[in-house]
């Protein structure tokens, strides 16, 4: 059976999985599953991911897997997207955990509210905006000193963080305040051949 990836193309979490699979040249079937159309709540989809969220994957042997960062880690096992050095690998995990707790809940949520729920940027909760900028400032500091988040080469840390960072403008975050991030986005887009 071919690897199946259930995802919504508007979701950065889902695009992480697509970019990883494409970069690694994996064969897969993309099953467009809309979050705004209730397709993540059907009985059939809940059988794959009881949490009712995309992305979700069904591996070649039929086993399901959810959570974007768990899926990309599994797909990229043994590839150069996961640093071989134990310390560098741990630093990649540091960014992956940080992304889910300190970046995505602010930068991605602001984008969703503005772009898909039609909330004006001016009425976003100040805490959301403040935390989003704090996350971007943390990245700016790291990327002023290093071309990629972990050393000299692209890793899953860059895959995970570029997803919503490159769309941050949609949520009202002005990326011109973060020149090192802007240069890094271009670098990662080129390394991963990201066009969507
Ligand atoms: N931590 C999860 C977040 C997944 C997530 O929030 N997915 C959203 C789309 S980006 C979703 O499926 N929302 C539909 C819902 O929760 O009903 C991951 O990284 O995969």
């Amino acid at each position: 059976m071919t690897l199946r990836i259930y995802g919504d193309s508007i979701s950065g979490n889902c695009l992480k999985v697509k970019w990883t699979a494409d970069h690694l040249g994996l064969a897969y079937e993309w099953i467009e599953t809309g979050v705004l159309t209730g397709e993540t709540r059907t009985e059939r989809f809940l059988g794959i991911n009881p949490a009712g969220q995309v992305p979700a994957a069904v591996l070649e042997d039929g086993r399901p897997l959810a959570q974007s960062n768990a899926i990309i880690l599994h797909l990229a096992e043994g590839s150069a997207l996961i640093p071989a050095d134990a310390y560098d690998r741990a630093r990649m995990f540091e960014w992956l955990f940080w992304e889910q707790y300190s970046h995505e809940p602010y930068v991605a949520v602001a984008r969703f509210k503005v772009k898909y729920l039609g909330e004006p940027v001016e009425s976003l909760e100040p805490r959301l905006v403040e935390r989003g900028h704090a996350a971007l400032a943390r990245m700016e500091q790291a990327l002023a000193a290093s071309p990629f988040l972990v050393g000299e080469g692209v890793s899953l840390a860059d895959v995970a963080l570029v997803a919503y960072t490159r769309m941050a403008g949609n949520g009202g975050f002005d990326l011109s305040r973060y020149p090192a991030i802007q240069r890094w986005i271009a670098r990662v887009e080129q390394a991963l051949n990201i066009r969507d």
Side-chain angles (χ1 to χ4, degrees), residues 36 109-124 170:
L36 298 171
V109 169
R111 167 189 178 249
F112 188 78
K113 284 177 180 252
V114 173
K115 191 169 161 101
Y116 298 104
L117 303 182
E119 214 176 290
V121 169
E122 304 72 42
S123 65
L124 286 173
N170 296 154

Side-chain angles (χ1 to χ4, degrees), residues 13 15 19 49 65-66 68 73 82 85 90 97 110 120 133 136 151 175 180:
N13 281 323
L15 291 173
W19 298 331
N49 181 10
L65 189 61
S68 58
L73 278 162
I82 300 180
D85 175 78
F97 295 128
H133 275 297
L136 294 170
L175 285 180

Side-chain angles (χ1 to χ4, degrees), residues 11-14 16 35 40-41 51-55 66-69 99-100 104 164:
S11 152
N13 281 323
C14 298
K16 292 175 195 175
V35 293
T40 52
R41 298 290 153 171
Q53 291 181 326
V54 280
Q67 290 291 331
S68 58
N69 290 350
E99 185 257 347
Q100 287 284 292
E104 195 258 18
Y164 287 108

Side-chain angles (χ1 to χ4, degrees), residues 50-61:
Q53 291 181 326
V54 280
V58 178
L59 308 179
E60 289 90 335
D61 61 8

